[in-house]
Amino acid sequence: MINSKMKKIALFATILATLFTSCEIDREPYDKYTEEQVKSDLTLLLNGSYSALKGYWGDNMHYAGEFCGDNVMKQAPSSDAWFEFISYKHTTTNYRMKNFWVYSYKIISQTSDMFKTIEAGQSAEIDSKLGEGYFLRGMMYFYLCRTFGRPYYQDPDKNLGVPIVNGMPEDIINMELPDRATVKETYQQAISDLKKAEEMIGENKGAAYASKEAAQALLSRIYLYMSGTYENPNQTYADSAIYYAKKVIDSGHYTLLDRAKFMKFNEMAPDDASQTETIFAVKRVSSEFSTDDYYSCIGGMYSTIDGIGWGEVYASAEYLDLLRESKGTNDARWAFIRQNYASDNDAFRFVAKVYKDGTQTGYTYYQGLTSEKGGKLYVTLKEEEYPLTLVDAETNSYSISYEGETYVGERGKEMVLSNGYPQYFIIKCSLQEGETQLHSPIVARLSEMYLNLAEAYAKKGDYANALTNLNIVRERSIVGGAYKSLNASDAAQLINKERRLELAFEGQRGPDVFRIGETMRRHYPGIHDNMSEFAATDNKVVMYIPQDEINAWPGTLTQNP
């Protein structure tokens, strides 16, 4: 009993420290509060919650959603905890998941305290601030359930989400917090909070703050998650995804950036006057970082710019092939890939299969310098010359016969290799406001709303409207690239591909695959198991709850299998 009680007291001390970090509030009886004091306290509490989104929450939200996907590859093992997301070798001691859990519940605690302390209905301004709190709390429950709960289509009435703890009980010493709610109950909590946010928030203060439209954007995504698979969709939820996406689009607050501006999307702060597409982002500013801090930013993992950044997670060969489908660099989203060149020497590189004892075990890159002899082009690999045959002059692609197989690769300047892998840097998370690795993690932007419409309409069998909204996004990036038709046989494949291209490196890829019942296949070079496949029903598609949190929980907190 002593150990149990001490554990609860320790937990409460942690919660108190967490709750009021950066929120120094003078406590007075509520009936003595003036309206100005209420507004001041609300501002402090909200600022504390927005601050908690930065770093420990925003970065880890991104890694957990993107590094388990097929848009990225790693060139060597890493001791960083995010490597577990790439390797799918999850542990209960992952410090990044611990920070994600702790800071999510920090925001839930802060906002819940705000709702208990300050009554709604005093003024439009106070209600709007309370609405911001509801947005933040609803967003936390959604992202927690996305990370630790199974996809919604898989028996949400039985599968576990996360504990719903909207404030601490009065009896702290003898408290017992609830175990995990179901996935359905957790989603219902997120939806309830976001609908309150939609109702209460007045002024749209820009993409760095919660807004009515940000709540609608997340509601559209949540209902899309709930709409299930293409094979067995829930059309009621698809209707709701459409309803809220349209609300955002019709609000008049946002417009898609034109092609030229979109190609510099990463350079704009989310609340810059020229940034008309971002709905909500975790805004970071340069004063929060030293030069060394930039190494550990999201962008610092993806690239090295002016010597800043580790540059060890690259665009996958599979993602690059999707970009190449539009011929050359015609897809505007090539702007977010930067090839790191070693020299101006002409080279040829390609992806080849790796075999052991006659069985394919993986993939690898080869790169060699080219030379011309007798009007023919050759590449030198392992001190042996191989002839190249032109496949497409527009894309500078050639074929090679190598070790009994024919492969197609690209000709261009020699690239820097890291552990044998060419450095296709990702800069979508870099260069904000001219700073090397400054980036504000994106939560929602307008192009996603059109993609939500495309998917939801397709799930309803309305392929005409699905095609219209799909092409709005596609034609922005690929001039003349609109699809001419869409039907039951190709809708899922084409919509999923466009969503993958458009939302790459924004922390959505892993959940986007699993929520529709697809299998994650990562058949391309990298340090991961190149032949790995993870079905949406695999235990590894959800993260373990940090064991430290289970140990400290006053009550039962059930672990994932």
Side-chain angles (χ1 to χ4, degrees):
M1 284 297 294
I2 294 176
N3 288 339
S4 176
K5 183 173 289 188
M6 290 301 293
K7 180 174 70 175
K8 293 173 184 176
I9 293 171
L11 174 67
F12 180 53
T14 300
I15 290 169
L16 285 179
T18 296
L19 181 58
F20 298 112
T21 298
S22 302
C23 300
E24 297 298 328
I25 297 175
D26 294 326
R27 296 289 172 181
E28 297 184 44
Y30 183 76
D31 60 4
K32 294 185 181 298
Y33 268 36
T34 67
E35 183 173 335
E36 290 307 310
Q37 286 175 306
V38 170
K39 291 177 184 177
S40 176
D41 278 7
L42 267 173
T43 299
L44 284 168
L45 285 166
L46 279 174
N47 286 346
S49 293
Y50 282 120
S51 178
L53 289 177
K54 301 180 179 185
Y56 288 125
W57 189 88
D59 288 11
N60 293 322
M61 172 274 290
H62 178 100
Y63 296 139
E66 196 67 40
F67 281 14
C68 62
D70 47 12
N71 292 331
V72 300
M73 58 83 65
K74 182 76 173 67
Q75 81 335 341
S78 174
S79 59
D80 195 297
W82 52 246
F83 187 65
E84 292 182 14
F85 310 148
I86 292 176
S87 67
Y88 277 78
K89 295 178 180 178
H90 305 315
T91 69
T92 61
T93 56
N94 187 303
Y95 75 86
R96 288 193 175 275
M97 284 295 89
K98 176 180 172 64
N99 285 336
F100 179 74
W101 177 281
V102 167
Y103 275 77
S104 295
Y105 275 104
K106 174 179 181 176
I107 292 170
I108 289 170
S109 294
Q110 286 180 331
T111 52
S112 296
D113 181 72
M114 184 168 70
F115 306 143
K116 288 185 176 182
T117 303
I118 300 170
E119 293 180 1
Q122 300 180 66
S123 72
E125 184 178 350
I126 289 173
D127 281 359
S128 188
K129 289 181 181 293
L130 289 171
E132 290 183 61
Y134 278 114
F135 170 84
L136 293 171
R137 191 174 77 175
M139 182 172 72
M140 291 305 99
Y141 278 121
F142 169 63
Y143 274 97
L144 281 166
C145 196
R146 190 188 81 162
T147 305
F148 298 104
R150 299 207 64 80
Y152 195 87
Y153 80 92
Q154 297 174 17
D155 207 349
D157 290 301
K158 293 183 179 179
N159 286 328
L160 296 180
V162 296
I164 296 174
V165 185
N166 295 335
M168 302 305 297
E170 292 183 7
D171 186 355
I172 296 298
I173 299 301
N174 298 302
M175 72 175 172
E176 184 168 335
L177 296 181
D179 197 357
R180 298 165 66 187
T182 65
V183 167
K184 183 176 182 178
E185 290 167 340
T186 310
Y187 270 60
Q188 287 173 337
Q189 177 66 55
I191 288 170
S192 174
D193 283 345
L194 291 168
K195 285 184 175 180
K196 286 180 181 177
E198 179 193 21
E199 176 186 347
M200 297 175 75
I201 298 176
E203 179 188 4
N204 187 319
K205 298 184 292 184
Y209 297 93
S211 65
K212 182 188 300 290
E213 292 76 22
Q216 292 163 346
L218 277 188
L219 284 166
S220 177
R221 188 191 300 170
I222 289 174
Y223 281 118
L224 194 72
Y225 276 40
M226 294 170 71
S227 70
T229 68
Y230 281 88
E231 293 77 18
N232 187 30
N234 183 310
Q235 295 192 7
T236 299
Y237 293 142
D239 278 333
S240 294
I242 291 168
Y243 174 77
Y244 283 105
K246 282 186 171 180
K247 277 196 164 188
V248 176
I249 293 168
D250 294 342
S251 71
H253 282 290
Y254 312 97
T255 56
L256 287 179
L257 296 169
D258 63 33
R259 176 186 168 87
K261 288 182 180 178
F262 175 59
M263 293 172 74
K264 295 183 177 295
F265 166 80
N266 58 307
E267 299 178 17
M268 307 175 191
D271 55 353
D272 187 284
S274 61
Q275 171 52 283
T276 60
E277 187 164 335
T278 299
I279 300 167
F280 183 74
V282 180
K283 186 180 179 182
R284 309 304 303 273
V285 296
S286 60
S287 60
E288 296 168 359
F289 302 94
S290 68
T291 299
D292 287 345
D293 289 336
Y294 278 142
Y295 278 88
S296 299
C297 293
I298 296 170
M301 303 302 166
Y302 286 137
S303 65
T304 302
I305 300 174
D306 295 338
I308 305 299
W310 297 112
E312 56 187 32
V313 179
Y314 311 142
S316 71
E318 195 172 273
Y319 183 77
L320 296 171
D321 282 343
L322 290 179
L323 289 175
R324 292 185 183 109
E325 286 182 4
S326 62
K327 300 289 187 180
T329 56
N330 289 338
D331 193 321
R333 291 161 295 209
W334 267 112
F336 307 124
I337 306 297
R338 177 178 292 183
Q339 294 172 252
N340 192 25
Y341 294 116
S343 73
D344 289 334
N345 293 330
D346 193 73
F348 176 74
R349 59 193 151 265
F350 63 101
V351 172
K353 298 175 183 177
V354 175
Y355 291 90
K356 183 178 182 180
D357 300 327
T359 301
Q360 186 182 353
T361 58
Y363 297 84
T364 191
Y365 273 105
Y366 286 104
Q367 176 178 256
L369 299 182
T370 64
S371 59
E372 289 190 29
K373 294 183 181 179
K376 291 185 178 181
L377 187 66
Y378 293 83
V379 63
T380 300
L381 300 169
K382 299 177 182 178
E383 300 183 351
E384 186 173 344
E385 291 183 337
Y386 294 85
L388 299 176
T389 302
L390 180 65
V391 174
D392 189 332
E394 187 178 357
T395 60
N396 225 10
S397 58
Y398 290 76
S399 66
I400 182 174
S401 294
Y402 185 76
E403 296 184 343
E405 301 257 7
T406 299
Y407 301 104
V408 175
E410 68 174 356
R411 181 186 179 190
K413 291 191 292 186
E414 181 186 18
M415 288 184 66
V416 174
L417 302 181
S418 178
N419 203 29
Y421 302 106
Q423 292 185 324
Y424 287 96
F425 286 158
I426 297 159
I427 61 168
K428 198 175 190 180
C429 302
S430 306
L431 296 172
Q432 178 182 312
E433 299 173 291
E435 295 285 336
T436 54
Q437 302 298 358
L438 183 60
H439 169 65
S440 297
I442 301 295
V443 173
R445 59 189 179 92
L446 187 62
S447 61
E448 183 193 347
M449 296 302 102
Y450 289 107
L451 292 168
N452 288 0
L453 288 176
E455 180 177 331
Y457 276 126
K459 287 177 175 176
K460 289 174 56 63
D462 185 348
Y463 297 110
N465 269 317
L467 178 64
T468 296
N469 287 284
L470 179 63
N471 279 337
I472 287 173
V473 175
R474 186 167 178 80
E475 286 187 287
R476 191 260 297 270
S477 285
I478 307 171
V479 177
Y483 293 118
K484 292 181 171 54
S485 64
L486 198 70
N487 55 55
S489 67
D490 61 10
Q493 185 256 324
L494 296 180
I495 292 169
N496 292 344
K497 179 172 73 172
E498 201 62 32
R499 193 175 181 95
R500 180 179 179 183
L501 283 165
E502 179 69 14
L503 302 180
F505 322 122
E506 295 181 25
Q508 296 207 46
R509 179 57 184 165
D512 263 358
V513 171
F514 298 130
R515 67 178 176 78
I516 56 173
E518 294 291 317
T519 295
M520 183 68 71
R521 297 179 175 89
R522 301 186 298 167
H523 298 171
Y524 53 80
I527 199 64
H528 66 281
D529 178 357
N530 297 176
M531 307 306 290
S532 63
E533 295 188 0
F534 298 97
T537 53
D538 196 304
N539 286 340
K540 293 181 179 180
V541 307
V542 294
M543 304 297 175
Y544 286 122
I545 293 173
Q547 189 61 44
D548 284 351
E549 300 309 304
I550 292 177
N551 294 342
W553 198 256
T556 299
L557 184 55
T558 303
Q559 182 61 278
N560 282 321

